[in-house]
Structure formats: structure tokens, C-alpha cells
Amino acid sequence: MTSSFNVNDATAYEQLMGRWSKKLAPLLIDFAGLAEGERIIDVGCGNGSLTFALARAPELREIVAIDYSPVFVEAAIQRNSDPRIKIRQADACSLPFEDGSFDRALALLVLHFVPEAGKAVAEMRRVVRKGGVVAAAVWDHLGGMPGMRMMIDTVAALSEGGRKLRARYCFQPMMQPGEMKRTFVEQGLLEVTETELMIRMDYQSFDDYWAPIAAGEGPLGKYVATLDAAERARTDAAVRDAYEAGRPDGPRSFASIAWACRGIAL
């Protein structure tokens, strides 16, 4: 299995996470750097948040985007109108490109869903030329995502299944301090640096916050879809109560932090 992410519908994913990855993408690009005439690969492109952010740099020669999910690949292809962008289905742990094919390899909010994350980093290093850059970012689920933890902790308080979900969610690959940096070093990357990137997730209402989960998107959505009607109603009410926090329904804003790493290929 090359991905543990659950996606049913690209539009619902956009409401769940795509809109936030669009805000995070420019921060990763600034951290990774770009140069004129470069060929870039976006590993795990999803709906194309990073791909199309990269395309705003007119000096880039080519942007290749891959994802394991055919749902994401089709959605990104439909959005694309830039001849420099090439999108295809592929496995992050077995990239179908020759050694040294790219100047930079970037992965936005991907590695924590790859069970063999170290292998994916090794593949990114392999397809980047000597002196090229490998960079990635993943959410800090345990300590940096209060909006999402509010959902997860509420569900965990209701059942043993919820507690098991929280354990999986908080300790996905690459999410602990220094974990991604160690992996980059282990895979032979040099001058590895780690930093934090922060955005805010701004919701207009509880429905804006909860609707994609209720529709079954993402790890929590997959769990919610398994609940019977009574458990589902109890969960919906408890998460709404947590969101509203004793105030009327309306806008809420949550700081959200991602770990980011950058290294140089041998």
C-alpha cells in the first residue's frame, strides 16, 4: 500500500484540505527555492495546490506532477491549462523517471500518508540531479493542528474506536520533531534543514468545518462513515459543541503548523 489517505471526491477534499494546502504551498516553495529554467517534480500532487502554485513562477521550464490516486490525477488534469505542466498517475515509492531528471523534488502534505516514507524520500533524491533540492512538508498533527485535534479529541472521548483513531492520527510518519530531518539524512541528503510553516484555517461555520468529514473524506471521515446512526448523531452533536464552545455558530480561526525539511542531493 503506497498511501493511507482516503479520498472519494476531489471537490469534497478541496473543502477538507485542498484550500489549506493552497495557503501552505507558497511557503514551501519559498523554503525550497526556485531558479530560472528548472524542471520540478511535485510528488503527491493531489488536486494540484503545489503544482499550480509552482506554475505562477514563469521562469520554470517544466513541472511534472504525480499522484497515486486516479481521483486526484483526473481533477488536476481537468484544472490544468499550462503547457509546462505534465500530470500523471505514479507511485511515490517507485517514480517512473531516470536518475537526475529534475532540479528539485517537492512533496506537500504527502509523506505522512506513505507507509514507506523513507523509500519515497529516497526516490525523490534519486530523480534529482547532483546539487538539486529535495523538500517536503507535513502537518504536525500532535502539537500543531488545534482545529483538527478538536475533532479528533472529541471523537476519542466518545469511544475506544475514536481513541484508536487518535493514536493513528497523531503519530503518522514524519510528524514528530526531527523525524523527517533524520529520514532526509538517512537517505543521503546533505545540508538538511528543518523549519515550521504556519497558516490559519478560517471556517465560516460549523458546516464549513464538518461537512467534508461528514461526507467521508480523509481519515476521520472514513471513521465516521463506519458509525451507526446513533453513534453518528452523538458524534455530530459533540463535535458541534466543541466547535461552538458555548458561543453561537459562526466563523472560527485556527493556527495550523507544518514541519518542513530541505536537503541537497549528492
Side-chain angles (χ1 to χ4, degrees):
M1 183 176 67
T2 57
S3 175
S4 61
F5 188 81
N6 181 65
V7 57
N8 297 311
D9 178 79
T11 301
Y13 171 80
E14 191 70 17
Q15 186 178 3
L16 172 67
M17 192 54 63
R19 52 180 166 170
W20 312 128
S21 59
K22 285 178 182 176
K23 295 179 73 171
L24 191 62
L27 305 185
L28 178 60
I29 291 170
D30 287 346
F31 178 60
L34 295 177
E36 184 175 355
E38 287 190 330
R39 189 171 188 238
I40 312 293
I41 181 169
D42 175 4
V43 177
C45 65
N47 280 0
S49 297
L50 178 60
T51 302
F52 298 118
L54 285 164
R56 290 199 286 270
E59 69 272 19
L60 293 181
R61 177 164 57 96
E62 185 178 40
I63 302 158
V64 174
I66 69 100
D67 202 281
Y68 190 68
S69 166
V71 174
F72 281 147
V73 170
E74 180 61 27
I77 288 173
Q78 289 182 3
R79 288 182 59 195
N80 184 39
S81 60
D82 191 323
R84 296 174 301 158
I85 296 174
K86 307 294 187 296
I87 304 165
R88 61 182 289 184
Q89 186 176 10
D91 183 349
C93 293
S94 182
L95 294 172
F97 305 104
E98 298 294 326
D99 295 1
S101 297
F102 300 94
D103 298 289
R104 297 174 201 259
L106 279 63
L108 178 66
L109 306 180
V110 174
L111 293 181
H112 52 308
F113 290 115
V114 180
E116 295 182 286
K119 190 172 181 180
V121 173
E123 278 292 276
M124 292 170 72
R125 178 193 55 76
R126 180 185 65 78
V127 301
V128 167
R129 63 169 173 80
K130 183 177 180 180
V133 171
V134 173
V138 301
W139 292 123
D140 177 8
H141 278 181
L142 180 66
M145 297 280 286
M148 294 296 164
R149 278 296 301 269
M150 185 170 69
M151 290 187 194
I152 294 290
D153 288 340
T154 300
V155 170
L158 298 177
S159 71
E160 180 60 26
R163 285 187 287 276
K164 290 179 179 178
L165 171 69
R166 179 172 61 184
R168 294 192 300 271
Y169 176 86
C170 289
F171 296 100
Q172 288 176 258
M174 304 291 105
M175 288 189 169
Q176 303 312 301
E179 183 180 2
M180 187 160 48
K181 183 176 182 178
R182 287 192 300 273
T183 301
F184 272 44
V185 172
E186 288 167 359
Q187 298 304 328
L189 291 161
L190 303 177
E191 300 177 29
V192 177
T193 57
E194 182 179 71
T195 192
E196 299 173 9
L197 308 176
M198 191 189 84
I199 66 165
R200 295 200 72 89
M201 294 184 175
D202 298 309
Y203 299 94
Q204 296 306 306
S205 66
F206 174 71
D207 284 344
D208 188 30
Y209 174 76
W210 186 241
I213 303 296
E217 291 299 320
L220 181 54
K222 184 178 181 180
Y223 169 79
V224 168
T226 69
L227 301 178
D228 63 30
E231 291 173 320
R232 175 63 180 272
R234 184 172 172 235
T235 298
D236 289 354
V239 176
R240 175 182 286 276
D241 184 64
Y243 178 89
E244 294 178 353
R247 297 289 184 91
D249 188 15
R252 303 289 189 270
S253 181
F254 303 96
S256 302
I257 295 172
W259 296 110
C261 259
R262 179 184 187 274
I264 307 298
L266 291 170

